[in-house]
Amino acid sequence: RPKHRQPPFCRGCPAQLRDVVAPRWGAAGMPRRFCASFRPPSRAQQLAAIGLDRAGDRPSEALCRCLDPSGGEWEDLDTPQPHEWLEAMLDKTPDQSFKAFLDSRPNLPDRSRNTIYLQPLCEPRDLDGPAFPAGPWPSWQALESAVKAFYHPLKVRVLPPIPMEKLSPRPNSRQNSFGTQWNAAQVLDALARSAVPRDAFCTLAVTMCDLYPREEWNFVYGLARLSGRVGVFSFVRHTPSPSLPEPVQEGRMLHQSMKTMLHEIGHMFGLKHCTWFNCLMRGSNGAEVEHQPNYLHLCPVCLRKLHSSIGFDVSATYTQLLELFAGYEAVSPDFRVDCDFLRRRLAALQDLPAGASRDPKVASRLGALVPRGAPTAAASGGSRPIRRAASAVATSSSPSVAEGLVPRSVRRGSSRPGSPLMRSAAAAVAHATTDAEAGPPAVVLLPRLTPPGSSQSSEHGSPAGSAGHSGRVGAAPKTKRPARSTHARSRRSPGRDVRSEVLA
């Protein structure tokens, strides 16, 4: 049995069946699971998937409060009906617990790749017009704001629009009732061939054209290639009935489009389709097929996965999303459900201090500033001499401490006052001195510098296929490194890997 195949058992299959049948599988594996249908998980299985059981790796107390499902705010999954995702795609929807997510070594943003790029595939004038139904697109400003709030603290930037016909090489297309339908896999090929920005964690193309992944499929909402950090998704099949009032059409179109966009970006972080709760990351065959709609919030399992990648403050994220969604609450029942959920969760977390659920280790990896008053040991940016200089000034209120704080090892690296090392050391000292005079001590994280005369390694590694390539993005020449932690996992190769493609 190939190692990458998902075993055809669900959590409800008897252990005796696994023990007897598993050793007898042929080389081709089993086409489907033995169980006839999806079985919703029990509460004990949900807690184990989050990591809140006794055997799990429990997070901080503040994060435990954010992930505790005992209040009933998160909706359990119903048993799927025929043709729904969890019935039709059961063999392609493995259970991914938080531990399984960490074991998969997902892509992680860092100092050099911390930006989500959005690539509209349309005419430039399409985004400047009014929102649907008066215009062809849902409100682009609302979509962009949702991505910024949901995936904070990563930066979000919009690339200049490009019509689908001008992609190079031009993807194959065919005709259907939605007009021209484009090959999503070939769209990803064109995106990967173009220059993906150096600071991009991922580049997501957005279109109002219909998509299909391969010839035997009739359509797909989106397709993501994790190894290449590119994805594409379409909003055209979210178009509501024209018989509805225009404000309701606008709200429904925006909610469905926002759900697709946030869902597809979640795949870029390594989140698979959720099988634990009725979650944003749950697979869907469309609103007209699924009897249980899902909404714009993550379940505790997926919330912990995303939190381990970008370390956001959960309460602050909920507050920003509530401010955005509340503007559409009056005309959209879907946004009303999300607002009610966010208000209940904020009420449950109201006694948590600001920033209590933020992860300083992840903030350090992303290059963000450590919060004021945080221990100096939490900082991990810049070379050791520069960090010592900044820390010494930060813990002293006397400007005279700045004298002689540039260590000899830095001065030996370069005697020129204008060199990058000397400028960075001076900036650290000046910044820390200012903070010491203004109030509580602060720690400044600086980019890592290499003294002149030593070998400078690329932050992005050598290109795939070139000499010295280690098979991972961000790989540097082999040096002695400290033991790896769960927050310091390497990223995958940017080369195409069909097995890393994720269907919406």
Side-chain angles (χ1 to χ4, degrees):
R1 186 172 64 91
K3 291 184 179 179
H4 67 272
R5 283 184 179 269
Q6 172 66 17
F9 297 114
C10 78
R11 62 178 78 88
C13 291
Q16 295 87 345
L17 183 63
R18 302 168 188 251
D19 297 339
V20 172
V21 179
R24 302 181 183 179
W25 289 347
M30 298 298 295
R32 289 185 60 84
R33 299 189 185 191
F34 285 101
C35 54
S37 62
F38 172 79
R39 300 185 184 185
S42 65
R43 178 49 55 90
Q45 291 168 335
Q46 291 172 337
L47 291 175
I50 302 169
L52 296 183
D53 59 337
R54 293 183 178 179
D57 181 15
R58 293 179 65 86
S60 65
E61 285 302 317
L63 190 55
C64 282
R65 290 273 307 279
C66 298
L67 303 175
D68 183 9
S70 60
E73 292 91 351
W74 286 280
E75 183 181 10
D76 290 331
L77 285 167
D78 294 342
T79 300
Q81 297 179 2
H83 309 298
E84 294 185 345
W85 181 277
L86 285 175
E87 189 276 334
M89 303 292 288
L90 184 59
D91 56 322
K92 294 181 173 63
T93 310
D95 301 327
Q96 187 191 47
S97 64
F98 175 67
K99 182 180 183 303
F101 169 77
L102 295 182
D103 292 343
S104 69
R105 301 171 63 87
N107 293 341
L108 289 177
D110 57 21
R111 295 170 183 271
S112 59
R113 289 179 175 169
N114 54 14
T115 304
I116 297 173
Y117 281 91
L118 303 177
Q119 174 64 76
L121 298 178
C122 64
E123 295 290 344
R125 62 179 178 273
D126 291 344
L127 300 182
D128 298 331
F132 183 90
W137 280 68
S139 171
W140 183 261
Q141 181 180 3
L143 292 172
E144 185 180 352
S145 298
V147 177
K148 289 180 177 179
F150 204 90
Y151 292 103
H152 179 82
L154 297 192
K155 295 175 284 187
V156 179
R157 295 177 181 171
V158 181
L159 297 171
I162 303 175
M164 188 76 80
E165 298 82 358
K166 295 187 178 180
L167 290 177
S168 178
R170 180 185 169 115
N172 292 338
S173 62
R174 62 191 187 189
Q175 297 295 316
N176 65 3
S177 58
F178 289 90
T180 305
Q181 188 183 42
W182 298 87
N183 187 306
Q186 295 181 6
V187 172
L188 295 184
D189 291 338
L191 291 174
R193 183 173 178 177
S194 62
V196 176
R198 290 176 60 85
D199 63 340
F201 171 69
C202 61
T203 300
L204 282 302
V206 193
T207 181
M208 284 296 291
C209 299
D210 202 24
L211 301 172
Y212 67 97
R214 37 190 176 270
E215 292 299 329
E216 60 270 22
W217 284 59
N218 55 353
F219 82 99
V220 70
Y221 286 114
L223 186 67
R225 189 170 295 158
L226 306 185
S227 59
R229 299 178 292 123
V230 291
V232 61
F233 44 91
S234 169
F235 298 150
V236 69
R237 288 183 180 259
H238 299 322
T239 305
S241 170
S243 62
L244 297 173
E246 286 195 1
V248 177
Q249 289 188 55
E250 179 183 359
R252 183 167 297 179
M253 179 68 170
L254 179 61
H255 189 272
Q256 294 293 329
S257 301
M258 201 175 285
K259 185 162 59 175
T260 297
M261 176 176 276
L262 298 178
H263 175 104
E264 291 298 324
I265 297 176
H267 282 318
M268 304 306 297
F269 287 87
L271 277 66
K272 294 184 178 180
H273 287 124
C274 183
T275 59
W276 305 105
F277 293 85
N278 187 26
C279 171
L280 170 70
M281 295 306 299
R282 195 200 77 194
S284 174
N285 278 339
E288 66 282 355
V289 176
E290 304 287 339
H291 81 282
Q292 185 181 20
N294 59 337
Y295 297 95
L296 297 172
H297 52 261
L298 294 174
C299 73
V301 183
C302 297
L303 185 65
R304 190 177 183 190
K305 296 174 189 176
L306 184 63
H307 185 272
S308 71
S309 296
I310 56 180
F312 53 90
D313 179 45
V314 177
S315 297
T317 297
Y318 283 164
T319 301
Q320 293 180 22
L321 292 174
L322 181 58
E323 292 175 357
L324 175 62
F325 298 164
Y328 301 93
E329 186 178 10
V331 297
S332 171
D334 298 323
F335 278 110
R336 195 175 306 129
V337 172
D338 284 303
C339 289
D340 290 343
F341 168 84
L342 292 172
R343 291 189 182 102
R344 293 197 304 271
R345 290 305 301 155
L346 286 171
L349 304 176
Q350 61 182 347
D351 58 336
L352 283 182
S357 60
R358 185 179 292 113
D359 191 333
K361 293 182 180 179
V362 178
S364 174
R365 168 165 51 80
L366 293 175
L369 291 178
V370 175
R372 288 181 180 271
T376 305
S380 62
S383 62
R384 289 184 180 179
I386 293 178
R387 289 205 306 272
R388 283 199 297 267
S391 300
V393 177
T395 55
S396 173
S397 59
S398 173
S400 62
V401 177
E403 298 178 4
L405 276 179
V406 179
R408 292 181 179 179
S409 58
V410 176
R411 293 200 299 267
R412 281 199 302 268
S414 175
S415 59
R416 293 178 289 112
S419 66
L421 271 173
M422 299 299 287
R423 288 199 305 268
S424 296
V429 171
H431 196 142
T433 304
T434 303
D435 285 341
E437 294 172 351
V443 177
V444 180
L445 299 184
L446 297 172
R448 187 175 299 279
L449 298 174
T450 303
S454 64
S455 59
Q456 178 72 45
S457 62
S458 169
E459 292 188 25
H460 299 281
S462 48
S466 64
H469 181 62
S470 69
R472 295 195 300 267
V473 176
K478 293 184 178 179
T479 56
K480 211 168 191 179
R481 296 184 179 180
R484 299 170 59 85
S485 69
T486 56
H487 295 285
R489 299 181 298 278
S490 60
R491 293 165 293 179
R492 297 180 179 176
S493 166
R496 179 176 179 182
D497 182 1
V498 177
R499 289 174 296 178
S500 70
E501 291 184 349
V502 179
L503 297 169

